Amino acid sequence: MTDDAAPDGSATDESAVERDGDTDDEALVEVVRAQGHENVTAEHVSTLEFTSDDFLTPAGDCILAVEADRVPADFDDAFVDACSSHGATITATIEAGGHTHEVTGRGHPDLSFENERSHVIRTSDYVDDRTVLVGADGAAADVDRDLVAALADGADATLRLRVDPA
């Protein structure tokens, strides 16, 4: 994360929330950058995770990337508010090593975005302070295996979260 600022004092960090002008001016986007790790296996069937931790044990079979530069607690209030409805659609796009994988789920009124460590995408409706979307149409085990291999080789990773409010 950079401390650069535009002349008017606004942040210039491209990881910050942005309006997504590609398809819908109401969509909001948060971008997280991280690193793959040699212990990435992506075998978990109900979750996937990006963490700010700088390590990964073989037991972390839902974790796709480490050393995330941002955590849910860093997200803009407008993004968090937009995610607080069951009707919000949240799309997570994961990119690494020239490969892309997309997971779509929904918001929930109990999403707090207060965690200072990791982002968890869940196929279930379970919510805790790490959860960034529920009802996902896929988990770590569903991620493209070429993408997983790139992450296991330590590729730079990007998690792009896009919310289309209800």
Side-chain angles (χ1 to χ4, degrees), residues 17 28 30 72-85 108 111-114 163:
V17 70
L28 296 169
E30 291 282 356
D74 295 330
F75 288 178
D76 187 87
D77 289 343
F79 181 88
V80 172
D81 290 345
C83 292
S84 68
S85 167
H108 190 284
L111 292 176
S112 69
F113 292 89
E114 294 174 341
V163 60

Side-chain angles (χ1 to χ4, degrees), residues 91-155:
T91 303
T93 305
I94 302 157
E95 298 177 355
H99 304 281
T100 302
H101 184 80
E102 192 171 277
V103 175
T104 302
R106 65 182 185 284
H108 190 284
D110 294 335
L111 292 176
S112 69
F113 292 89
E114 294 174 341
N115 194 273
E116 295 188 6
R117 187 171 170 200
S118 60
H119 313 266
V120 178
I121 293 167
R122 302 182 187 278
T123 60
S124 70
D125 287 332
Y126 178 79
V127 174
D128 66 13
D129 69 338
R130 301 177 314 145
T131 308
V132 295
L133 71 88
V134 296
D137 61 3
D142 301 306
V143 174
D144 175 81
R145 294 293 103 178
D146 291 332
L147 175 56
V148 172
L151 291 167
D153 285 340

